[in-house]
Amino acid sequence: MSEYGVVTAPGTVRLERTLPGPIERVWSHLVDSEKRGTWLATGEIEPRVGGRVEHVWRNNALTPDDDPPPSKYADIAEVARMEGRVTAYEPPRLLSYTWGGDPGERDSEVTFELSARGDEVLLVLTHRRLTTRDAMLGVAAGWHAHLEVLAARLAGRTPPGFWRTHNRLETEYATRIPAGAEREAAGR
């Protein structure tokens, strides 16, 4: 399994990680605001289909000894907010919700699938309906960097600097995600 995300369909990026289990522990890091805040964002997720999702990011405070954010992300580095709606909720294996887009655009959707693998858990993250290549690059690098933080936290290690990792990955994904990878998603 590659650590890098892959394009699986137009406007769709998929990442896989094997994480320390058990599955209930990983699930709690997806749905519990305080635990999710250690690797992604705080905010409530109403535990039902149709429930409200709120994320509040504080990426500048996520990891110690980090680089400053790139200028294009400066406006969201301190605090950023997003709201969505739960589209699938099947503890402890499946969580899916809409991901707030720009005003006037259709929301994308993120899905987390968990499978027990002995003492470990396979997490498959799929982010769909991304309408631009820039969105695909930012999402791929962002999820990759956030999942590195999650893996380190679950293993009891200090995670690498979020922005330092994100900056490196966004450059790498620019070589991995082909031009036109978003096509068809914008028209759906």
Side-chain angles (χ1 to χ4, degrees), residues 2-168:
S2 170
E3 280 201 14
Y4 287 96
V6 296
V7 175
T8 59
T12 302
V13 175
R14 177 183 168 126
L15 294 97
E16 295 184 10
R17 289 293 178 278
T18 300
L19 302 168
I23 194 169
E24 294 80 10
R25 178 177 177 230
V26 177
W27 177 260
S28 71
H29 278 77
L30 298 180
V31 298
D32 179 271
S33 176
E34 186 176 325
K35 290 178 182 177
R36 189 176 355 91
T38 67
W39 69 276
L40 179 66
T42 59
E44 295 305 312
I45 295 177
E46 292 178 349
R48 61 181 174 79
V49 172
R52 184 174 165 270
V53 174
E54 177 192 36
H55 282 340
V56 180
W57 283 269
R58 291 177 176 83
N59 287 330
N60 280 358
L62 197 56
T63 56
D65 187 34
D66 201 2
D67 292 345
S71 60
K72 75 179 189 177
Y73 295 115
D75 63 326
I76 63 166
E78 290 296 330
V79 176
R81 297 177 183 277
M82 188 253 350
E83 289 192 13
R85 291 284 170 196
V86 175
T87 57
Y89 194 88
E90 299 173 17
R93 303 198 185 285
L94 177 66
L95 173 64
S96 187
Y97 49 86
T98 59
W99 190 267
D102 293 325
E105 287 189 18
R106 182 176 178 201
D107 290 346
S108 61
E109 182 179 36
V110 64
T111 300
F112 301 88
E113 299 170 273
L114 302 178
S115 304
R117 301 282 192 261
D119 292 340
E120 297 178 320
V121 176
L122 174 63
L123 179 145
V124 178
L125 184 153
T126 306
H127 201 135
R128 299 175 185 79
R129 299 196 308 250
L130 298 162
T131 58
T132 67
R133 183 168 181 267
D134 282 347
M136 293 181 76
L137 297 176
V139 160
W143 280 122
H144 191 139
H146 281 292
L147 290 175
E148 284 196 21
V149 175
L150 174 61
R153 297 268 192 236
L154 289 171
R157 297 187 321 264
T158 300
F162 173 78
W163 286 117
R164 182 177 310 114
T165 302
H166 187 281
N167 295 341
R168 175 182 54 79

